[in-house]
Amino acid sequence: MELLLHSLIHLAAGASTAYVLCRKEQASILKRCWLLLIGGLAGLFPDFTKFFGDIFFHSVLLIPLAGLLCAFVYRIFQKDISFKQQWLIFSVCVCTHLFIDYIGNGVAFLYPIIEHEYEFSIVQRDDVMVLSPLILALIIGVWFRNGKKVVWAGVIISILYIGALAGFKIKLENALEQRYQMEHVQSLTTYPNEFKREWRFMLTTDQTGVFGHSNLFATDIQIDDENTFPTSFDTALPVEPITVIGAKMGMLILRLGNTGPVTEIIISCLP
């Protein structure tokens, strides 16, 4: 179910984008459905290569190519929009996929040159609050020649919801940084709890790891666990520095020492 809802979010985002960006009104319902179909497929396009074990089209470098392919397909049955405009519209539809992944579980924008995944996690993969306004607006808007205003309304509602979550996330991170500012914060990761509507967070200072949660509005911060990192089992031995090298939803990755072999420790912090 999670995969289905996630795919529907991409489809709805792509279809909505195609509808609102198309300046020429589509006179018939068949033309509107064709535009929404190809826009939706463009929004889902980067996931197609996942079936072959690759994330090739999750890169901004391939957006023009993906948009071009979708424009060629659209032009088979619809030629009353210039090819240049079609290419631009469907390229933007592909961009919505990368944006949704960026605010979800992360995306490698510059793959395959740089494989690092960038993220600003504020929504779940199956967040119905993002999907519902888009789907409802598309269902209503497709039946009317001037339905673009309805689709715009759905897009604006979803954007406002995402914007509010971004604001609450930043508020939470600022509050945590202020609380631990005297302990030299090394890393801070906040992400939505997959089991209920609240934030989870992981924070590390020079010698401490803090795990906790907060309500959605970042007004009630609760510490679940706070641990001091061991630096040495024998005071006569040299102290190994601990460096945070990464954090993902549900885990924290640490590196012990800065010379010789690298040791990575994964600390699970799921509720």
Side-chain angles (χ1 to χ4, degrees), residues 67-68 71-73 75 79 81-88:
L68 184 65
F72 274 123
V73 175
R75 198 163 181 80
K79 296 182 175 64
I81 304 175
S82 70
F83 184 78
K84 183 178 180 180
Q85 184 181 357
Q86 294 173 17
W87 187 5
L88 176 61

Side-chain angles (χ1 to χ4, degrees), residues 157-232:
I157 292 173
S158 292
I159 290 175
L160 289 175
Y161 170 70
I162 291 171
L165 290 179
F168 294 141
K169 177 186 176 78
I170 293 172
K171 177 182 177 182
L172 173 61
E173 292 180 347
N174 288 338
L176 289 169
E177 287 175 351
Q178 282 189 332
R179 178 180 294 190
Y180 291 94
Q181 63 180 342
M182 300 301 294
E183 300 180 35
H184 303 98
V185 175
Q186 288 190 355
S187 72
L188 172 60
T189 302
T190 58
Y191 56 93
N193 189 340
E194 62 180 303
F195 301 107
K196 55 184 177 180
R197 292 199 170 276
E198 67 173 18
W199 299 104
R200 303 287 302 174
F201 63 83
M202 302 178 290
L203 179 146
T204 61
T205 64
D206 290 338
Q207 298 295 329
T208 306
V210 182
F211 309 109
H213 67 277
S214 167
N215 63 354
L216 197 61
F217 305 105
T219 57
D220 183 22
I221 300 175
Q222 301 291 329
I223 305 300
D224 297 329
D225 195 13
E226 187 168 344
N227 297 310
T228 300
F229 299 138
T231 55
S232 176

Side-chain angles (χ1 to χ4, degrees), residues 23-264:
R23 290 181 293 179
K24 184 178 180 60
E25 290 188 359
Q26 304 299 302
S28 69
I29 189 172
L30 289 178
K31 289 184 177 181
R32 291 193 292 272
C33 287
W34 182 242
L35 176 64
L36 295 181
L37 175 62
I38 303 303
L41 291 177
L44 192 60
F45 193 95
D47 276 346
F48 291 157
T49 55
K50 279 188 174 181
F51 292 106
F52 304 99
D54 193 72
I55 56 171
F56 197 60
F57 277 99
H58 280 76
S59 171
V60 295
L61 306 177
L62 274 299
I63 287 177
L65 176 58
L68 184 65
L69 294 175
C70 292
F72 274 123
V73 175
Y74 180 78
R75 198 163 181 80
I76 294 175
F77 299 107
Q78 182 64 281
K79 296 182 175 64
D80 58 351
I81 304 175
S82 70
F83 184 78
K84 183 178 180 180
Q85 184 181 357
Q86 294 173 17
W87 187 5
L88 176 61
I89 289 173
F90 297 126
S91 294
V92 176
C93 292
V94 177
C95 287
T96 65
H97 186 108
L98 274 61
F99 173 73
I100 291 171
D101 281 357
Y102 173 65
I103 62 174
N105 58 344
V107 61
F109 283 120
L110 299 177
Y111 183 87
I113 298 175
I114 300 176
E115 296 186 9
H116 175 74
E117 288 191 354
Y118 301 89
E119 62 180 299
F120 185 70
S121 299
I122 56 178
V123 298
Q124 291 293 340
R125 286 166 49 87
D126 56 350
D127 197 323
V128 294
M129 295 298 293
V130 176
L131 176 63
S132 299
L134 297 177
I135 287 291
L136 183 60
L138 286 171
I139 292 174
I140 297 175
V142 73
W143 293 99
F144 302 98
R145 183 172 181 177
N146 296 322
K148 186 179 293 187
K149 293 180 180 179
V150 178
V151 178
W152 261 119
V155 171
I156 291 173
I157 292 173
S158 292
I159 290 175
L160 289 175
Y161 170 70
I162 291 171
L165 290 179
F168 294 141
K169 177 186 176 78
I170 293 172
K171 177 182 177 182
L172 173 61
E173 292 180 347
N174 288 338
L176 289 169
E177 287 175 351
Q178 282 189 332
R179 178 180 294 190
Y180 291 94
Q181 63 180 342
M182 300 301 294
E183 300 180 35
H184 303 98
V185 175
Q186 288 190 355
S187 72
L188 172 60
T189 302
T190 58
Y191 56 93
N193 189 340
E194 62 180 303
F195 301 107
K196 55 184 177 180
R197 292 199 170 276
E198 67 173 18
W199 299 104
R200 303 287 302 174
F201 63 83
M202 302 178 290
L203 179 146
T204 61
T205 64
D206 290 338
Q207 298 295 329
T208 306
V210 182
F211 309 109
H213 67 277
S214 167
N215 63 354
L216 197 61
F217 305 105
T219 57
D220 183 22
I221 300 175
Q222 301 291 329
I223 305 300
D224 297 329
D225 195 13
E226 187 168 344
N227 297 310
T228 300
F229 299 138
T231 55
S232 176
F233 295 102
D234 188 340
T235 55
L237 297 176
V239 175
E240 289 288 344
I242 300 175
T243 306
V244 178
I245 62 173
K248 292 289 290 182
M249 297 171 64
M251 64 180 62
L252 187 68
I253 305 175
L254 310 177
R255 174 177 292 159
L256 304 182
N258 51 18
T259 60
V262 173
T263 302
E264 294 186 359

